Amino acid sequence: MRDVSAPRPYSVGFAELRQRFRKAAERAGAELTEYVHPLHGPGGEALATDVALIGRRNASKLMVLISGTHGVEGQFGSACQTQWLEENAPWRLPEDTAILAIHLINPWGTAWSRRVNEDNVDLNRNFVDWQAGAPKNDRYADLHGALVWREWEGSGRANADEALAAATAKLGGHAGLAPIVEAGQYDFPDGLFFGGTGPTWSNRTLHDILSSFAGAAREAIVFDLHTGAGPYGYPALLSVAENEHDGLAWGKAVFGPALSVVLTGKEATTDTGIAATATGYVSAAVRKAMPDARVLPLVIECGTLDGPVVMDAVQADNWLHLYGKVDSPLGQRIKATLRAAFIPEDPDWQWNCLATSLRYFDRAFADLKAVDAGGCNDASRAPAMATTIVQPHPAASAARATPAIEVVNLHKSFGQLEVLSGVGLSASAGEVVSMIGSSGSGKSTFLRCINLLEQPNDGRIIVDGEEIRMKKASDGKAQPADMRQVERIRARVGMVFQSFNLWPHLTVLENIIEAPVHVLKERRADAVERAHELLRKVGLSDKHAHYPGQLSGGQQQRAAIARTLAMQPKVILLDEPTSALDPELVGEVLRVIRQLAEEGNTMILVTHEMQFAREVSHKILFLHRGKVEEEGAPAELFANPRSERLRQFLARTL
Ligand SMILES: Nc1ncnc2c1ncn2[C@@H]1O[C@H](COP(=O)(O)OP(=O)(O)OP(=O)(O)O)[C@@H](O)[C@H]1O
């Protein structure tokens, strides 16, 4: 019997999971590659998906292990990957066979203990054919209001619970409800099992990984490692597909009745605990990424608690990230409940799931090795070399020598009132810097001074290496020496205002192309084409001909962001972009801003959304009475405020 009698507990933090995996991969002689995620974890830790390749890149037979598709479940998959790599080291593989371990493909979800990703997207609903448009789930729409509530307790919550109980009874219990909810939906970004509006970072990264490492494969077995559905402590082996394919026949030949095949479809059913009604699974992605291979996509699904209990935990966590405070005692309770719903702290559960999964790996791998796939493909491709670091994202790359923006010793008074008393800030390309502080501390004034909507009294402003030249007027006040330079620099610094500031008499499209055509002198046709692209990005494709007055606040703000992006700014200043919005519209705007951060835009953000600032920023400045009282990395600043003022401020706002 395999000796896993004393497995290390799964429940360790993201950084340790990575460290264990990387160590095991190194010992196994793997080529290690790191795909850096643009955001960071709750402790300020860097986030990344690690990829270990044992064997040659041109191997025709490939075994792939994927963990953490649903972030919080990642501890299980990570434990399996690490243990399997470790206990078989040193690996001696036939030339034509390789192992590709993809560690924590949704690193944000694992680090923050969420099933979903940074945009509330269920990655296992995100691998749909986006060209064909998002699938429809009208039956979810009827349930949304009962599943997603604004208040943790009170009459609104009680009404929602009552409505959910009534709907569940009408559908014949949880077994009737789950296939509708878990089918995935693409219309409610704040809802459950949201599939997104386009390919997420994890989706794109999986695609990049498979393009880099799986291109030569002709025979591939892929394990996607999950927990949370099925009977407690039982690791079920499944294969999910939209239709029959030759990989399924292979799977049945290898595993016999141990393998359950789930064929998905609108009305499909299964008793495995996973949703047969859903599409967009990882299985679809891996088959698509290896069109020339016979692919056997497998899912290991380790049962935990009863379906309704797991759904309750997911619902509560959804509320927490939308409307609650993760750091509060209630927030911590909700997190603990969610973790327990996916990774029970039960040594027997952990032992069973690990041991059985490793046996499935062994069996699959033995069969893979025995297949005759005709040797290595494309011998010209280089074999694995030493560790490579892939940093596809500008935000993640090392800071450039020249900051994208630097402000030194800025002073500003209104009459006798000194609002800024020597504020400074520097942001490298791709960095997000947030400014927090009480009302009246000078945050907005600082932003307005940067692009000279207000004239600073003193100080230096340097954008992308070019300093705004100032001179003293006859009254002794500073003013720009060259207005043409100011106009030029302003065109490189985009500003998003609290109150949107769209032209009311122009359509959304006209608002967006106005500055590119008149200031940058772009051809109108080019500006229009780009405007449509930007509208797609902010989810407003269908609103291009509307006037601002016909849009909701959230839509207006997203249009305003698209207008700012149309100028391709070096730096984007956002002045409390969500504070004029009704609470239910805040999320849609934050999602767009988060996407901008992920894409490596340099941003200075003034905000009262503390949780958001913490998640999205590389650096935070706390302003108090016109001075930077404290600055630092978000995790450090929020966890260990040094000044009493910041401590009090956080106590009031968190
Ligand atoms: N144009 C102006 N004329 C006179 N005083 C002004 C002007 N603009 C801002 N102030 C004052 O400067 C101080 C700082 O205002 P500012 O809007 O920069 O603060 P803030 O930190 O952004 O506050 P909030 O979070 O409430 O937006 C306030 O006392 C405000 O009344």
Side-chain angles (χ1 to χ4, degrees):
M1 190 169 62
R2 183 186 292 283
D3 179 21
V4 285
S5 51
R8 289 165 300 195
Y10 294 1
S11 334
V12 294
F14 178 84
E16 194 173 342
L17 292 176
R18 272 197 85 185
Q19 203 191 355
R20 286 178 180 181
F21 173 79
R22 291 183 66 92
K23 216 160 129 198
E26 274 163 20
R27 283 219 203 100
E31 173 190 2
L32 259 172
T33 308
E34 180 186 43
Y35 291 77
V36 178
H37 191 280
L39 303 177
H40 41 242
E45 65 273 38
L47 299 181
T49 294
D50 291 298
V51 174
L53 177 75
I54 307 174
R56 302 163 66 101
R57 282 198 187 209
N58 59 354
S60 56
K61 297 191 278 183
L62 189 65
M63 168 111 153
V64 183
L65 306 175
I66 303 173
S67 64
T69 299
H70 290 142
V72 66
E73 303 167 14
Q75 290 170 338
F76 156 69
S78 169
C80 293
Q81 291 172 315
T82 302
Q83 182 83 19
W84 201 56
L85 293 191
E86 256 175 18
E87 61 176 52
N88 289 291
W91 284 84
R92 293 196 212 300
L93 298 179
E95 282 244 312
D96 63 353
T97 307
I99 296 166
L100 183 67
I102 302 173
H103 185 250
L104 303 179
I105 188 63
N106 168 10
W108 186 94
T110 305
W112 288 88
S113 298
R114 293 213 71 190
R115 189 176 171 281
V116 288
N117 83 341
E118 58 277 9
D119 291 318
N120 203 37
V121 172
D122 181 336
L123 186 55
N124 235 1
R125 305 292 180 273
N126 186 247
F127 293 103
V128 292
D129 178 1
W130 288 105
Q131 304 272 326
K136 276 274 153 219
N137 180 358
D138 294 334
R139 296 178 75 195
Y140 173 88
D142 300 335
L143 295 164
H144 178 73
L147 290 162
V148 177
W149 9 267
R150 183 88 59 83
E151 304 293 339
W152 178 250
E153 45 199 4
S155 58
R157 167 75 192 268
N159 291 342
D161 286 350
E162 217 173 278
L164 185 62
T168 308
K170 205 165 149 200
L171 290 162
H174 184 77
L177 177 80
I180 299 172
V181 178
E182 295 175 10
Q185 53 83 18
Y186 298 80
D187 294 319
F188 298 88
D190 59 340
L192 304 186
F193 297 86
F194 173 55
T197 52
T200 59
W201 181 90
S202 299
N203 177 330
R204 297 191 307 269
T205 300
L206 182 64
H207 184 265
D208 286 351
I209 294 168
L210 294 174
S211 310
S212 302
F213 296 101
R218 294 294 169 268
E219 303 283 343
I221 301 183
V222 184
F223 281 90
D224 187 24
L225 305 166
H226 286 259
T227 68
Y232 183 85
Y234 171 73
L237 186 68
L238 316 165
S239 192
V240 184
E242 285 171 32
N243 7 61
E244 291 283 348
H245 60 88
D246 54 359
L248 295 181
W250 182 15
K252 286 175 201 161
V254 178
F255 291 103
L259 176 69
S260 304
V261 171
V262 178
L263 288 181
T264 59
K266 259 199 164 18
E267 302 298 330
T269 56
T270 169
D271 56 4
T272 58
I274 71 158
T277 41
T279 47
Y281 280 106
V282 165
S283 317
V286 295
R287 285 189 60 216
K288 203 164 161 205
M290 292 182 261
D292 300 328
R294 178 172 66 150
V295 182
L296 166 55
L298 294 167
V299 174
I300 295 182
E301 181 59 80
C302 302
T304 55
L305 308 180
D306 288 345
V309 179
V310 175
M311 195 183 285
D312 271 358
V314 167
Q315 247 181 301
D317 187 60
N318 191 52
W319 171 84
L320 179 62
H321 283 265
L322 279 175
Y323 302 113
K325 291 171 181 164
V326 176
D327 289 335
S328 67
L330 172 63
Q332 294 300 304
R333 270 207 315 280
I334 291 173
K335 278 285 153 213
T337 307
L338 184 84
R339 280 192 288 263
F342 288 97
I343 306 285
E345 284 284 347
D346 166 358
D348 288 342
W349 185 94
Q350 298 194 357
W351 190 95
N352 278 339
C353 293
L354 184 66
T356 307
S357 301
L358 266 51
R359 290 246 292 280
Y360 288 143
F361 295 174
D362 288 344
R363 198 156 148 190
F365 195 53
D367 198 85
L368 180 71
K369 280 195 289 186
V371 169
D372 180 9
C376 286
N377 287 309
D378 186 6
S380 63
R381 293 174 67 157
M385 300 297 288
T387 303
T388 318
I389 306 291
V390 176
Q391 294 185 326
H393 197 283
S397 57
R400 277 212 229 127
T402 311
I405 184 157
E406 198 174 1
V407 181
V408 183
N409 197 26
L410 204 76
H411 286 260
K412 173 68 185 171
S413 300
F414 293 108
Q416 295 303 307
L417 179 69
E418 184 166 47
V419 175
L420 299 173
S421 320
V423 177
L425 165 157
S426 164
S428 305
E431 257 190 338
V432 180
V433 179
S434 289
M435 305 190 79
I436 61 172
S438 314
S439 187
S441 55
K443 306 179 297 294
S444 298
T445 304
F446 179 74
L447 280 198
R448 294 171 64 78
C449 282
I450 291 182
N451 66 355
L452 299 173
L453 291 172
E454 297 288 356
Q455 298 294 322
N457 300 105
D458 205 356
R460 298 171 60 207
I461 298 165
I462 304 139
V463 177
D464 204 27
E466 182 174 355
E467 178 162 355
I468 302 181
R469 290 189 298 283
M470 305 295 280
K471 64 179 183 194
K472 292 269 181 219
S474 51
D475 58 1
K477 287 185 183 161
Q479 64 179 53
D482 175 1
M483 277 320 286
R484 274 183 318 207
Q485 186 204 26
V486 169
E487 291 310 324
R488 198 172 62 241
I489 291 185
R490 259 192 201 147
R492 284 188 247 156
V493 180
M495 180 110 177
V496 175
F497 299 89
Q498 187 177 336
S499 50
F500 329 134
N501 290 13
L502 293 165
W503 297 109
H505 60 290
L506 299 181
T507 63
V508 166
L509 188 94
E510 288 162 351
N511 261 284
I512 295 173
I513 65 169
E514 212 261 347
V517 168
H518 293 108
V519 180
L520 299 183
K521 309 290 179 210
E522 276 182 24
R523 279 181 43 219
R524 193 183 156 84
D526 293 343
V528 167
E529 191 182 329
R530 175 138 171 81
H532 282 296
E533 242 170 65
L534 291 168
L535 284 169
R536 222 177 359 259
K537 182 192 208 73
V538 300
L540 290 178
S541 288
D542 54 337
K543 304 287 185 214
H544 62 94
H546 285 55
Y547 288 90
Q550 297 171 305
L551 303 182
S552 73
Q555 290 168 335
Q556 289 189 52
Q557 190 58 297
R558 285 186 280 146
I561 292 173
R563 182 186 56 177
T564 301
L565 293 176
M567 292 292 280
Q568 304 187 21
K570 291 276 179 197
V571 180
I572 306 172
L573 312 175
L574 300 111
D575 188 8
E576 299 188 31
T578 57
S579 63
L581 300 177
D582 291 339
E584 69 270 22
L585 303 178
V586 168
E588 64 191 58
V589 173
L590 293 185
R591 257 187 299 279
V592 169
I593 298 172
R594 190 197 296 277
Q595 192 186 339
L596 300 185
E598 281 187 30
E599 288 169 1
N601 288 287
T602 310
M603 297 195 279
I604 315 281
L605 169 68
V606 165
T607 185
H608 291 281
E609 299 282 344
M610 292 302 135
Q611 181 63 26
F612 182 72
R614 178 175 174 170
E615 286 178 22
V616 85
S617 318
H618 298 92
K619 191 159 61 188
I620 300 216
L621 267 62
F622 171 60
L623 225 63
H624 180 74
R625 297 208 180 137
K627 283 204 167 81
V628 178
E629 172 94 8
E630 206 165 319
E631 68 176 281
E636 181 57 24
L637 190 122
F638 281 100
N640 301 308
R642 290 190 304 274
S643 78
E644 187 49 35
R645 288 197 190 105
L646 176 56
R647 228 188 311 278
Q648 285 175 7
F649 173 76
L650 293 177
R652 281 200 307 277
T653 51
L654 283 178

